[in-house]
Amino acid sequence: MYDDDVIAAIATGYGASAIGIIRVSGRSAFEILKKIFTQQPPYKHRYLHYGHILNKDSSIIDEVLVSVFEQPHSYTGENSFEINCHGGILVLNKILQRLLESGARLAQPGEFTKRAFLNGKLDLSQAEAVEKIISSKTERALKIAQRQLRGRFSSKLDTIREKILFLMAENEVIIDHPDEDLSSISFEKKIETVRNIQSELKNILKASELGNTLFEGILLAIVGKPNVGKSSLLNILTGTERSIVTEIPGTTRDVVSESFVIDGIPFTILDTAGIRKTEDVVESIGVQKSVEAIHKADMVLAVFDATKKLEDEDLHIIEHIKNTNKKTLAVLNKTDTPSLICKSDIPFDNVINISCKTRDGLEKLEDSLSKLSLGEIEDSDIVSLNANQKESIKNAIDICEQLIKDIENNIDPSLIAVDLIGLTDYLDEIVGKITNEDMLDVMFKNFCIGK
Amino acid sequence: MIYPKKYDVVVIGGGHAGCEAALISSRLGVNTLMLTIALDSIGAMSCNPAIGGLAKGHLVKEVDVFGGEMARNIDETGLQFKILNKSKGPAVWSSRAQADMTAYKLRMKYILEQQKNLDIKQETVDEIIAEDNKIIGVKTNIGNEYLCDSVVVTTGTFMKGKIFIGLNEYEAGRAWEPPSKKLSDSLRELGLRVGRLKTGTTPRLDARTIDFDSLKLQPGDDEPVPFSFKTTNFNRPNIPCYLAHTNEKTHKIILQNLDQSPLYSGMVESMGPRYCPSIEDKVVKFFEKKQHQIFLEPQDEHSTEIYADGLHTSLGYEVQLKFLRSMKGLEEVEIMRPGYAIEYDFVDPTQLKHTLETKKIKGLFLAGQINGTSGYEEAAAQGIIAGINAAFQMQKKKLFTVGRDEAYTGVLIDDLVTKGTKEPYRMFTSRAEYRLILREDNTQLRLAEKAFKAGLMNKEHYEMVMEQKAKIQEMVKKLKTTYIFPNDDTNKKLQALGTKIIKTKTDLAKMLRRTEINYENLIELNPNLEKLEPFIKQEVEIDLKYEGYLNLQKQQIEKFKKYEELKIPSDFDYNVVGGLSNEVRGKLMEIKPSSIGQAIRIPGVTPAAISIIVVHLKKSNDKRYKSTA
């Protein structure tokens, strides 16, 4: 709490936005920048530096502008820089992750401000306010994080905690009560417990990846035979203005324009270029394109023409969707003119009538898209972890591996204890702090000790 | 009368805490008086006839380095010595000895009697006199008033002690000795919070009525190692203990008579130690266990009394006799003294500073069971710290505190003053975060400098330890820079040693890290290597074999120290700190942590609260921030 180690955090909001900023501060901030940035030092105070942030394998994460502030002339009073990158949680998280790998740690809520204060950048009256911010922010952040975690994973986290405590208690009983005649737990049993903990941790990590795809946006395939109205639907959903902007090739907006947001959920439409092309040219390639899109998509929006009977192409698409078992919303377009088919002719659970021309049923469409995707969250164990928590779980999974090896090699219990304490340190925030008292409680409850 | 001689330090109590406190204070040159209820009970072992054990052995050795007597005393009066956990890593090796209880206390009394600057009197202290929150003196049961600057209270289980044997109860401090009825009221009047705890002891049996042939022999080590680093000419007997077992019949008798237990009838409500449960607790809580171990330990070389360890009980005499006789080997046993439960007053230790002085009353120090601990070793460790500080305060020296990163003594005291305790507190190695560094074997190496600087160790001894330390470091360095090469001769030797051959030039330190290789093997590989005395050899091996782990803990200690060094002034006003919850504020005001490090360890104090305090400390001027509390 008095350190000048390098801290990093995403400074912009988590919602969809065109650009994002990551702020980094600390004594050796520029050494970290050097490791991940194509532009090498010297960095010039108060200047913007253009370049790319690179992965470890030198692949490009993003094209960025980095503003550099030398101590003491920065917000925190320390060496610091800000990475201006493209918006969207995926890019931001990747860059943050890269920073953490390279020696930065995730900032606590309010930590930049605290450092600013400690380095004399704020006056006393500001400082009073800072205190309140620090406390309310930290506690709120903690509560939110815990609530999120506890909601879905409550019982699993409790089980992990219990298992760790039991392993610790069992290990400590062997150390501190060597005279006791205790039926010791077999190697196999211990290893099985560690494997269990490890696989539960992996599950949580996996679930958080799922949560991330949600943040990144749901990949939506708009499919249907040519001339069914896919292009109009696309333009309505994304907003016509934007689609005009996309006419200018090579701009970053190009990417943004293929997305739209409903109830805070970002949707990304697959192969929009293909949709426009096939609609215009009226080719049979259209169906083939649709099939490809269904494969890539998280969700499918299947468009049918209410003025025509279902044709082979429609049936082909329907069959294909059914085979992939993807979540599907079917729309019956052109309902402004007399229809030849109705909702019951379409073999999907969710079917709605719309008219791109009159814009009838559009609200219903948005509502259904939102519900269908939200339903997905509720049905599965999605959890949102911050970069720090994810890092901790990964480390914990690694320690489990070490622990298994150490148990197999019959390593001394006082050293096994080091692994176990490492495990609890990493899982502190996730399963709740494990104190020696907690361990003793479990020990006395489970082992009959006492000379 | 007001006694004409004025003392610097008065120690109340002559148990394991009192003896260390009185001895060290007088050894440091201040006039000390020990007042005890029973002179004959100085250094008495109220419970098991043993010194040391897991984590307790560490404490005994630390007391030894700080100039205490416990280690020397057991080395002169032990009946068997054993190193526990020898098959495990060196961090958890622990020494334990069975004691000749009578010899132990007689020698301790003798040592006290020989001590310059120390008077010993048999009187019961009824009142502690303080004015303006400063100690003036003490008043005894026979109307004497002793004026002094400091008082060290080490009352053990004596304050309002009440013994339970079955449904009988009577007032007593220890088995048959009178309790101290008034002292805890006096402490209450001084504004201290007093609580109640419970503990118990086992029946003492007549050896002549035990069939030892049918029991398992438990001797000490063949090559016993003394506790004290000062002990020379160590020559003690190896008198065995015996192992007996309870059985289903025993358990049945106990279960049928639970109504005879004050613990189960509700007569005793205070919290007893979970690590030392009564036999009735064990049988009830671990119903599925078919037998429990009972260790029969000699109490005294020249007596037939046997201590039945593992049988703490408060059941009535008749039931005790019945369940004892249900065990193999004890069919004909006679009880010499029954087991009992005892309830007593203790003072909530969160009211103490790390020096063991109360925050409230200047010059009032508390040590031992009065602080909610259990065990002779825990008592001795507190006794010596309280005694040192009572003397140092008199001499206007910098007070002596021990960190969690330095010694088990530090862990013990920090736990007590930071977290308090709900049950009698016993030391465990698991309580020490830096267990791999705080070992028994390196007690002198890690504490000599501290002890010497504080004037607790003489120069000659200190220099001897420093020489050892230098030698160890030199050898570690040497092994890291001495190489063997992958030639036929070397690899043949390696094969003979049952270890993998080498393919490249390898330093000896790396070889020593192999589990199957010891220093002697290195000499075989490199005959130029010098022979080392056993202690140096052992330390070099530990340093290198565990180097990775030790370095990890050293790093953790560095981080720990950073927070310990952020001192909070004792007059720091938490009321002016905005943004703290009432609960956290209350805790901080009660404990008054001396450093940010300690504040972090207070249960319930959140990281956010810590940040706020750090900001505030920085805000108050820097000079005050750095000064020690």
Side-chain angles (χ1 to χ4, degrees):
Chain A
M1 55 212 57
Y2 196 57
D3 299 327
D4 55 1
D5 57 343
V6 181
I7 54 173
I10 297 172
T12 43
Y14 272 68
S17 67
I19 60 158
I21 297 174
I22 293 172
R23 188 186 263 179
V24 184
S25 175
R27 189 167 30 86
S28 46
F30 301 139
E31 282 158 43
I32 289 176
L33 180 60
K34 194 182 140 197
K35 285 189 216 166
I36 65 167
F37 194 33
T38 45
Q39 195 170 132
Q40 291 296 296
Y43 300 118
K44 214 170 159 195
H45 178 54
R46 282 188 183 145
Y47 270 72
L48 280 177
H49 301 71
Y50 168 82
H52 292 93
I53 300 291
L54 300 179
N55 271 316
K56 220 180 242 166
D57 62 6
S58 295
S59 60
I60 293 172
I61 298 177
D62 196 16
E63 180 186 32
V64 300
L65 288 171
V66 177
S67 45
V68 166
F69 305 93
E70 276 172 24
Q71 61 175 26
H73 305 290
S74 67
Y75 175 68
T76 55
E78 300 172 329
N79 285 332
S80 54
F81 61 87
E82 289 176 5
I83 302 175
N84 295 256
C85 60
H86 291 108
I89 198 66
L90 180 63
V91 171
L92 283 165
N93 267 348
K94 272 193 177 158
I95 296 178
L96 184 62
Q97 196 57 42
R98 186 74 186 103
L99 284 161
L100 300 184
E101 276 169 21
S102 310
R105 74 170 164 80
L106 198 70
Q108 307 287 330
E111 199 170 2
F112 286 95
T113 313
K114 191 172 87 187
R115 288 189 178 195
F117 171 72
L118 291 176
N119 288 317
K121 302 299 262 188
L122 301 175
D123 65 28
L124 281 181
S125 60
Q126 283 173 305
E128 293 284 351
V130 169
E131 285 173 5
K132 291 206 178 83
I133 293 167
I134 291 174
S135 74
S136 66
K137 260 197 182 174
T138 315
E139 255 139 48
R140 217 177 75 208
L142 224 108
K143 260 184 211 150
I144 290 172
Q146 277 165 356
R147 204 189 307 142
Q148 274 214 329
L149 267 171
R150 295 233 69 96
R152 286 280 163 205
F153 281 87
S154 188
S155 67
K156 280 182 192 169
L157 292 177
D158 287 346
T159 316
I160 292 177
R161 189 187 156 87
E162 269 164 37
K163 281 182 178 154
I164 295 175
L165 273 168
F166 191 81
L167 282 172
M168 290 180 94
E170 200 264 348
N171 192 52
E172 293 300 334
V173 121
I174 294 171
I175 294 174
D176 269 342
H177 304 275
D179 285 340
E180 300 293 345
D181 137 51
L182 301 165
S183 41
S184 66
I185 295 145
S186 70
F187 271 15
E188 294 79 16
K189 182 89 192 147
K190 267 190 251 181
I191 288 169
E192 195 194 312
T193 310
V194 182
R195 285 232 182 275
N196 256 319
I197 294 171
Q198 199 185 26
S199 79
E200 287 295 353
L201 290 173
K202 281 181 180 164
N203 282 341
I204 293 176
L205 206 59
K206 213 169 127 196
S208 83
E209 307 283 324
L210 250 143
N212 259 12
T213 35
L214 192 72
F215 271 120
E216 283 166 34
I218 289 176
L219 290 177
L220 183 70
I222 301 182
V223 298
K225 65 188 172 196
N227 262 332
V228 79
K230 296 194 294 284
S231 181
S232 321
L233 197 55
L234 169 70
N235 283 343
I236 288 168
L237 285 170
T238 56
T240 338
E241 311 82 1
R242 283 193 191 164
S243 65
I244 291 166
V245 179
T246 58
E247 299 293 316
I248 309 156
T251 61
T252 53
R253 305 255 162 160
D254 201 18
V255 182
V256 177
S257 70
E258 317 300 7
S259 306
F260 60 97
V261 176
I262 299 172
D263 290 348
I265 308 159
F267 289 85
T268 301
I269 298 164
L270 282 162
D271 188 34
T272 48
I275 292 172
R276 294 206 172 87
K277 204 168 146 201
T278 52
E279 291 280 320
D280 296 342
V281 186
V282 197
E283 281 181 63
S284 62
I285 312 168
V287 178
Q288 188 48 42
K289 285 271 173 200
S290 289
V291 167
E292 281 168 24
I294 292 166
H295 265 282
K296 283 192 226 156
D298 300 320
M299 228 172 110
V300 181
L301 187 62
V303 191
F304 300 95
D305 188 340
T307 62
K308 290 178 183 163
K309 287 260 179 209
L310 289 182
E311 295 166 357
D312 278 357
E313 283 169 313
D314 292 312
L315 295 173
H316 186 74
I317 288 170
I318 290 169
E319 190 198 336
H320 209 85
I321 296 171
K322 292 272 177 192
N323 281 344
T324 56
N325 217 6
K326 298 258 160 119
K327 281 215 164 170
T328 305
L329 178 64
V331 293
L332 211 44
N333 192 15
K334 306 186 187 175
T335 48
D336 49 306
T337 50
S339 305
L340 279 178
I341 52 171
C342 65
K343 285 207 284 192
S344 57
D345 293 321
I346 313 290
F348 289 109
D349 293 340
N350 304 293
V351 189
I352 52 170
N353 292 328
I354 63 162
S355 162
C356 287
K357 206 168 172 186
T358 61
R359 301 209 162 203
D360 274 344
L362 234 65
E363 250 175 59
K364 182 100 201 308
L365 171 67
E366 294 199 343
D367 195 47
S368 302
L369 279 172
S370 157
K371 277 210 182 108
L372 207 59
S373 55
L374 270 179
E376 202 162 311
I377 312 173
E378 277 163 8
D379 290 341
S380 57
D381 280 338
I382 287 181
V383 65
S384 158
L385 297 174
N386 65 34
N388 221 3
Q389 290 171 320
K390 243 188 248 176
E391 197 60 27
S392 296
I393 293 184
K394 278 183 199 157
N395 283 326
I397 290 171
D398 289 347
I399 288 210
C400 286
E401 206 54 52
Q402 180 67 41
L403 194 52
I404 290 166
K405 233 186 272 165
D406 286 350
I407 295 171
E408 277 169 352
N409 290 334
N410 199 10
I411 283 225
D412 190 69
S414 62
L415 304 181
I416 295 276
V418 176
D419 293 339
L420 285 168
I421 286 167
L423 192 58
T424 62
D425 282 350
Y426 282 125
L427 295 181
D428 232 25
E429 227 188 281
I430 291 150
V431 303
K433 196 164 178 58
I434 291 180
T435 65
N436 189 252
E437 277 309 308
D438 297 329
M439 185 280 292
L440 289 177
D441 284 343
V442 173
M443 185 198 283
F444 295 133
K445 210 174 117 200
N446 289 287
F447 299 95
C448 183
I449 298 154
K451 274 181 69 174
Chain B
M1 69 182 277
I2 295 182
Y3 198 72
K5 182 173 171 185
K6 188 181 177 271
Y7 289 95
D8 298 321
V9 176
V10 168
V11 176
I12 305 173
H16 305 283
C19 287
E20 297 295 352
L23 277 173
I24 199 72
S25 130
S26 44
R27 281 172 181 172
L28 288 168
V30 307
N31 274 321
T32 307
L33 167 66
M34 175 190 276
L35 292 169
T36 169
I37 288 180
L39 274 177
D40 293 334
S41 299
I42 283 175
M45 298 179 146
S46 322
C47 200
N48 60 326
I51 294 286
L54 256 295
K56 290 164 170 269
H58 291 73
L59 288 169
V60 178
K61 292 192 175 227
E62 289 168 7
V63 170
D64 186 51
V65 176
F66 294 146
E69 196 59 32
M70 181 170 260
R72 284 286 304 121
N73 214 49
I74 185 65
D75 285 348
E76 295 298 323
T77 60
L79 295 180
Q80 65 151 269
F81 292 75
K82 202 171 192 167
I83 303 218
L84 305 170
N85 272 345
K86 195 71 196 192
S87 64
K88 303 187 187 111
V92 294
W93 295 344
S94 262
S95 308
R96 185 180 65 200
Q98 295 302 134
D100 180 324
M101 285 171 56
T102 312
Y104 187 95
K105 68 178 187 180
L106 282 176
R107 183 185 178 277
M108 188 59 95
K109 183 161 179 262
Y110 174 80
I111 295 291
L112 288 166
E113 287 163 357
Q114 304 304 304
Q115 183 59 46
K116 211 176 109 190
N117 305 322
L118 179 60
D119 291 345
I120 310 165
K121 296 175 189 296
Q122 177 166 301
E123 285 174 59
T124 303
V125 175
D126 283 342
E127 193 186 336
I128 289 167
I129 313 162
E131 245 177 53
D132 300 330
N133 290 332
K134 198 185 163 310
I135 287 292
I136 304 282
V138 298
K139 199 187 264 177
T140 71
N141 58 330
I142 52 173
N144 282 342
E145 258 185 61
Y146 294 95
L147 300 181
C148 61
D149 290 296
S150 295
V151 173
V152 182
V153 190
T154 68
T155 50
T157 57
F158 277 69
M159 291 197 305
K160 292 201 198 288
K162 198 190 258 182
I163 280 180
F164 300 85
I165 301 174
L167 302 178
N168 301 307
E169 58 168 270
Y170 61 96
E171 292 176 343
R174 176 198 299 129
W176 296 266
E177 292 166 30
S180 158
K181 291 188 189 176
K182 293 180 182 164
L183 191 57
S184 55
D185 291 333
S186 170
L187 291 170
R188 273 195 193 90
E189 274 161 35
L190 291 173
L192 296 173
R193 279 189 310 281
V194 177
R196 212 139 164 84
L197 286 174
K198 180 213 96 179
T199 188
T201 191
T202 72
R204 299 345 188 236
L205 313 177
D206 190 336
R208 295 171 301 170
T209 60
I210 297 172
D211 175 19
F212 288 108
D213 291 340
S214 67
L215 300 174
K216 202 180 158 210
L217 197 73
Q218 297 215 302
D221 289 344
D222 290 335
E223 287 174 42
V225 182
F227 275 84
S228 175
F229 299 102
K230 292 162 226 157
T231 296
T232 49
N233 299 324
F234 182 61
N235 181 24
R236 294 299 305 163
N238 185 352
I239 298 175
C241 299
Y242 292 86
L243 183 61
H245 288 97
T246 62
N247 54 46
E248 288 178 63
K249 206 172 146 199
T250 322
H251 300 177
K252 205 171 157 194
I253 295 166
I254 292 167
L255 289 171
Q256 277 167 352
N257 289 285
L258 280 181
D259 55 343
Q260 298 261 334
S261 164
L263 305 180
Y264 282 86
S265 66
M267 279 167 82
V268 178
E269 285 176 355
S270 46
M271 182 79 174
R274 287 173 303 172
Y275 49 83
C276 206
S278 61
I279 186 68
E280 41 273 39
D281 267 352
K282 287 196 223 177
V283 171
V284 171
K285 288 186 186 147
F286 294 91
F287 189 75
E288 71 288 352
K289 248 190 135 175
K290 300 244 181 309
Q291 59 170 33
H292 295 280
Q293 298 185 118
I294 306 301
F295 298 87
L296 300 177
E297 304 172 0
Q299 290 208 135
D300 184 329
E301 201 176 351
H302 306 291
S303 145
T304 63
E305 249 184 297
I306 294 289
Y307 181 91
D309 207 346
L311 273 183
H312 297 261
T313 183
S314 63
L315 285 162
Y317 190 93
E318 198 189 334
V319 187
Q320 289 189 26
L321 192 64
K322 209 168 156 194
F323 78 63
L324 279 165
R325 288 187 175 172
S326 71
M327 289 182 237
K328 195 178 155 204
L330 302 181
E331 293 86 352
E332 318 254 307
V333 78
E334 288 294 344
I335 293 175
M336 291 179 79
R337 311 182 205 211
Y340 60 81
I342 182 164
E343 226 186 13
Y344 55 96
D345 280 352
F346 81 109
V347 176
D348 175 358
T350 61
Q351 301 168 97
L352 300 170
K353 302 177 189 174
H354 282 94
T355 56
L356 292 181
E357 187 180 22
T358 56
K359 291 169 202 161
K360 197 144 211 160
I361 312 288
K362 191 172 161 58
L364 178 61
F365 295 82
L366 311 180
Q369 264 168 311
I370 190 171
N371 291 336
T373 60
S374 136
Y376 313 141
E377 304 80 1
E378 287 85 346
Q382 294 169 68
I384 199 155
I385 298 298
I388 291 168
N389 284 318
F392 280 5
Q393 198 163 70
M394 182 65 215
Q395 297 167 330
K396 303 207 165 17
K397 282 192 193 158
K398 185 175 181 285
L399 296 190
F400 189 73
T401 55
V402 188
R404 300 183 76 88
D405 56 326
E406 295 178 302
Y408 275 75
T409 307
V411 176
L412 166 71
I413 292 174
D414 184 65
D415 274 351
L416 291 173
V417 307
T418 309
K419 298 176 193 155
T421 187
K422 289 191 185 73
E423 68 181 323
Y425 177 105
R426 181 211 196 273
M427 201 29 131
F428 297 114
T429 68
S430 69
R431 298 196 197 264
E433 295 86 343
Y434 314 114
R435 171 162 67 187
L436 299 182
I437 294 207
L438 306 187
R439 306 188 306 270
E440 260 195 14
D441 62 85
N442 70 355
T443 312
Q444 280 210 110
L445 299 173
R446 65 183 150 92
L447 291 173
E449 195 169 339
K450 188 176 179 88
F452 174 68
K453 278 188 180 155
L456 303 169
M457 181 183 273
N458 68 43
K459 195 163 181 244
E460 195 190 342
H461 194 97
Y462 170 67
E463 279 170 353
M464 184 273 289
V465 179
M466 286 304 109
E467 262 171 48
Q468 288 181 334
K469 208 170 177 172
K471 184 76 199 170
I472 295 161
Q473 278 165 359
E474 180 203 317
M475 285 313 298
V476 165
K477 205 170 152 193
K478 188 168 177 184
L479 294 182
K480 283 183 179 176
T481 51
T482 308
Y483 300 91
I484 50 170
F485 298 88
N487 54 42
D488 281 357
D489 181 47
T490 300
N491 277 335
K492 235 179 236 163
K493 282 178 184 165
L494 288 173
Q495 272 173 328
L497 288 168
T499 189
K500 273 194 210 144
I501 59 165
I502 54 169
K503 288 183 179 132
T504 51
K505 161 180 147 177
T506 307
D507 64 76
L508 290 175
K510 203 168 170 190
M511 294 307 300
L512 189 57
R513 285 199 192 99
R514 295 187 178 182
T515 330
E516 61 278 13
I517 297 292
N518 60 28
Y519 184 82
E520 291 304 311
N521 301 144
L522 296 187
I523 299 182
E524 288 173 48
L525 294 168
N526 181 347
N528 294 332
L529 221 51
E530 65 188 292
K531 283 227 165 255
L532 295 176
E533 58 164 294
F535 175 69
I536 304 289
K537 193 160 64 188
Q538 170 187 293
E539 293 307 299
V540 168
E541 285 178 358
I542 293 171
D543 273 4
L544 283 171
K545 282 186 187 293
Y546 296 90
E547 194 173 35
Y549 286 96
L550 296 176
N551 285 340
L552 184 78
Q553 294 227 313
K554 279 178 197 156
Q555 282 167 23
Q556 289 166 347
I557 287 180
E558 284 314 306
K559 207 174 158 198
F560 162 86
K561 271 178 156 167
K562 236 165 108 179
Y563 295 136
E564 294 304 294
E565 281 158 13
L566 290 178
K567 298 291 179 197
I568 306 176
S570 57
D571 59 349
F572 185 75
D573 186 1
Y574 292 96
N575 281 316
V576 304
V577 182
L580 293 177
S581 73
N582 285 337
E583 192 201 342
V584 168
R585 192 192 311 274
K587 275 188 178 154
L588 289 164
M589 284 168 75
E590 193 186 307
I591 308 279
K592 291 199 182 103
S594 59
S595 67
I596 289 294
Q598 193 192 355
I600 292 172
R601 291 190 294 277
I602 299 173
V605 172
T606 58
I610 297 291
S611 299
I612 293 172
I613 298 163
V614 171
V615 168
H616 246 273
L617 280 172
K618 184 83 178 181
K619 203 167 74 178
S620 12
N621 68 59
D622 277 4
K623 215 168 168 191
R624 209 179 80 155
Y625 183 43
K626 296 264 158 58
S627 75
T628 48

